[in-house]
Amino acid sequence: MLNWAKKYWIELIVFGAISGVLFVCQSPDITWINTDSDGVHYIYSAKYMYPAHKSSAPLYLLISNLFLRLPFGTEAWRMALISVMSGIASSVLIYLIVRHFTNKNWMSRWFGIAGAMIYGSSALAISQNTIVETYPLVVASGLGVYYFALKKRWKLSALMIGISGAIHPLSLLTSVPILIVNKELRYWKQ
């Protein structure tokens, strides 16, 4: 464990900083930023297991119901915790995807760190990764689809497509193009 920490100390600092910013900015309760989003509907729907919209977000509501059972924080804070964790996972997946494309040379580590920092420090990502919303979880699952497709782990990629569709049905509009782009990139690499 100690050797791993010594080898990846920069990554630990970067992902720790991204995590720290997201946890500090995490919405403590229903605030002004939640008033024009679906957060209130999702909290109600997860608490009472009621469809949020016509298309709903079944897996998100099931996960949210589990998070609502945590014994600390407000309901909005507990559900925003899903977004925070998804934002951290997205940063890690971006790091891994960038490392994949930079052919694991000595600079690939720095490019991966830069990619994770650009995403993790962007105002849009921070604003969405700290509220009650499905977007961060959809982004993380979409990045998971792409990462596993790059690694040719097709069963995991298919599982991530299923998870993405169960989080929010509209996410399938992003998962299928991701696989098409991956196929095109492999074609041009030849």
Side-chain angles (χ1 to χ4, degrees):
M1 176 69 181
L2 192 57
N3 290 335
W4 184 86
K6 284 181 181 178
K7 185 175 180 182
Y8 295 105
W9 66 274
I10 296 172
E11 286 87 344
L12 291 173
I13 290 172
V14 168
F15 295 128
I18 291 169
S19 302
V21 167
L22 292 178
F23 280 117
V24 167
C25 294
Q26 183 179 355
S27 181
D29 206 349
I30 300 299
T31 62
W32 63 272
I33 200 165
N34 296 97
T35 58
D36 199 26
S37 67
D38 299 328
V40 177
H41 302 291
Y42 284 135
I43 293 169
Y44 174 82
S45 297
K47 186 173 184 176
Y48 298 108
M49 295 309 295
Y50 188 81
H53 306 315
K54 290 178 183 173
S55 61
S56 196
L59 184 59
Y60 177 74
L61 295 177
L62 289 172
I63 294 169
S64 297
N65 187 277
L66 293 175
F67 274 75
L68 285 175
R69 297 171 193 270
L70 293 173
F72 48 85
T74 64
E75 290 175 343
W77 185 87
R78 286 178 260 166
M79 283 185 62
L81 191 59
I82 298 169
S83 297
V84 168
M85 293 169 61
S86 300
I88 296 166
S90 294
S91 296
V92 171
L93 286 166
I94 288 170
Y95 168 81
L96 294 172
I97 289 167
V98 171
R99 293 244 7 222
H100 174 82
F101 279 113
T102 52
N103 298 324
K104 302 267 187 200
N105 64 22
W106 68 275
M107 287 296 291
S108 73
R109 182 176 181 189
W110 296 105
F111 292 141
I113 288 169
M117 285 178 53
I118 289 168
Y119 172 79
S121 65
S122 72
L124 179 63
I126 292 171
S127 72
Q128 295 302 303
N129 290 334
T130 55
I131 63 171
V132 178
E133 194 54 78
T134 57
Y135 306 133
L137 199 54
V138 168
V139 168
S141 63
L143 287 168
V145 169
Y146 188 58
Y147 176 72
F148 291 125
L150 287 175
K151 293 295 185 180
K152 296 185 170 102
R153 308 230 14 225
W154 302 114
K155 289 181 182 177
L156 286 173
S157 187
L159 178 67
M160 292 303 292
I161 290 173
I163 288 171
S164 183
I167 292 167
H168 200 290
L170 295 177
S171 64
L172 295 176
L173 295 174
T174 60
S175 297
V176 173
I178 284 171
L179 294 176
I180 292 170
V181 167
N182 183 42
K183 183 179 178 185
E184 292 296 320
L185 287 174
R186 282 187 287 141
Y187 172 77
W188 289 105
K189 265 188 159 180
Q190 294 175 0

